[in-house]
Each structure stands twice: as structure tokens, then as C-alpha cells.
Amino acid sequence: MKNLYKDKPWFKFLSNKYVWVLMFFCIWMTFLDNYSYFDHRILDQQIQDLEDNASYYKEEIRKDQENIKQLKNSEQIEKYAREKYYMKKDSEDIYIIEFEGDTIEKK
């Protein structure tokens, strides 16, 4: 009994042992290895998230440093205390007026 596919080019290609080794290697590296493609995708996403967090916190640090510079002035300290903590002088009265459906959030 003669093999009908022996002369076909795809059979010659698939019967090559180097092709089998290459296919095994590709499958192993893609799915099974500790450093597989899918693990790298997950790790790259985590790295990107951490870099985004780092840039956010650097921006927050920059804003806080700017606020610290402004608060070195005594007038700015007084303004901040009045706006944030509703502080007043002894001879003043403060009235806080809130409207229904006010869109400003309290902090």
C-alpha cells in the first residue's frame, strides 16, 4: 500500500522534524512557559497602570507644592482658613447659605 500524500508539498513540509520542533517551541512559549505571551500582556498592563498612578501622584505633588508656596504668605493662610475651615475673626459673623440642588460638593 502506497502513501498517496508522500509527494505532496504540504506533507513534505509537515514531515520535517525541524518544523515539529519549531511548532512545539512556539506553542510552549505562547501558552505554557512562565514567560508566556499572555503573562507578558498581563504584566505590561500592570506596568502601564503603575506608570499612570505615578504620573497622577507626581501631578498631585506638584499641586501640593504650589499650595505650600502660596501658604507661606500670611494673607493666603487667612484666605485658605476662611474658605476651607470657615474660620473668622472675633468681630465677624459668617453665614453659610446652601441652596437646594446645589451642585457644589462639600469636601
Side-chain angles (χ1 to χ4, degrees):
M1 181 162 185
K2 187 176 177 188
N3 191 350
L4 299 175
Y5 302 113
K6 192 172 186 179
D7 295 331
K8 302 286 183 181
W10 60 267
F11 183 78
K12 288 181 181 180
F13 179 75
L14 288 178
S15 64
N16 189 342
K17 63 182 174 183
Y18 297 111
V19 171
W20 281 100
V21 170
L22 181 65
M23 286 185 350
F24 175 76
F25 177 76
C26 290
I27 290 171
W28 180 267
M29 292 304 289
T30 304
F31 298 106
L32 304 173
D33 195 42
N34 287 338
Y35 304 106
S36 70
Y37 172 73
F38 298 112
D39 289 341
H40 273 281
R41 284 184 38 199
I42 292 169
L43 292 174
D44 288 341
Q45 182 62 39
Q46 289 176 352
I47 289 171
Q48 184 64 37
D49 292 342
L50 291 174
E51 287 174 350
D52 291 343
N53 283 345
S55 64
Y56 168 76
Y57 287 120
K58 284 180 183 177
E59 180 65 25
E60 290 297 315
I61 288 170
R62 187 195 59 77
K63 288 179 185 176
D64 289 341
Q65 287 174 342
E66 186 177 304
N67 286 340
I68 289 170
K69 275 185 189 176
Q70 289 179 352
L71 290 176
K72 289 185 179 178
N73 184 357
S74 63
E75 292 176 2
Q76 289 293 329
I77 293 173
E78 183 179 342
K79 179 182 175 189
Y80 183 78
R82 287 173 177 264
E83 290 176 358
K84 181 81 173 178
Y85 298 108
Y86 305 115
M87 292 186 170
K88 64 179 186 81
K89 293 180 182 176
D90 290 333
S91 62
E92 293 180 331
D93 291 328
I94 294 179
Y95 299 100
I96 299 172
I97 302 171
E98 293 183 7
F99 298 102
E100 290 183 24
D102 198 2
T103 59
I104 299 174
E105 295 180 16
K106 294 180 185 177
K107 292 184 180 181

